[in-house]
Amino acid sequence: MTEYRASFDAAIAFSNGGDLTVHGFRVDLPGPDASEADIAALFVASLGLLMTDTVRLTDVRIFPEPHKGTRGGPSDPRHDRQPASGEGRGRLVELNHLPQEGGTYLEAPGGDLGGVELDKAVDLPAVVVRVTGARRSPIGVGSLAPFDVRDHAVLLHTGVREGHCLAADAAAWLVEHGAVLVGTDADGLDDCAREARPARESLLAAGIPVVERLTGLERLPPTGALFTAAPPRLLGVGRVPVRAYARLPIS
């Protein structure tokens, strides 16, 4: 299903004095026919603004684009949309490249696939962090902070093979906040031009499997899907191709 967002300039006046002006702000929309009043309400909710008196929008554009998880919007990551175990599950979506296309790989902590438990690779509630269209730079904590990542697979939707690496402090934040798996549609989590792999190494050291070269993440909602990338249980082997897929929530 096509998702929509809006871009606009806004001027806000507060009932206790003061004002706020923004340019080119974007929010997720429930559909392409959202009114300016709907967009203004989503804008106020997204920033948690208190004591708002008036909101004036200009240069409003509505266009198809995957939701980013606007606070208070239709794909708010705070909404618990994970289906109950065995119930309310929708269709499956393939997320792996075919072997002739280079494959999709899982790397195991400690270089040992035998140590990857099923609860760290199967039916994980997924958070999709979209940075598509953003300036190519390290993905920082600011991109992750709106999401509840504890006990979730965190899937980075970059839309490019390289250029959106995961910052070292962002990897540390994921460890601290309890992510159980981290995946990306890029060739790797780190800057491929550098030999050092700080993000991948810190995640693996914390017991978090890493999945690289995913595809099809644009077909997943920001939250609510269940992600699987179960590797064979091979002792002493650290990295193998996997068949990754997700089960969509029933809308």
Side-chain angles (χ1 to χ4, degrees), residues 91-109:
R91 63 186 178 87
L92 297 175
V93 175
E94 291 270 13
L95 300 176
N96 58 285
H97 286 284
L98 296 174
Q100 58 267 34
E101 299 171 333
T104 295
Y105 289 84
L106 181 143
E107 186 159 355

Side-chain angles (χ1 to χ4, degrees), residues 21 39 50 114 122-123 145 152 154 180 184 195 201 203 215-216 226:
T21 302
I39 296 170
L50 302 178
V122 175
D123 278 352
H152 283 63
V154 178
V180 295
T184 179
E195 292 186 6
E201 290 172 2
L203 293 171
T215 188
L226 297 178

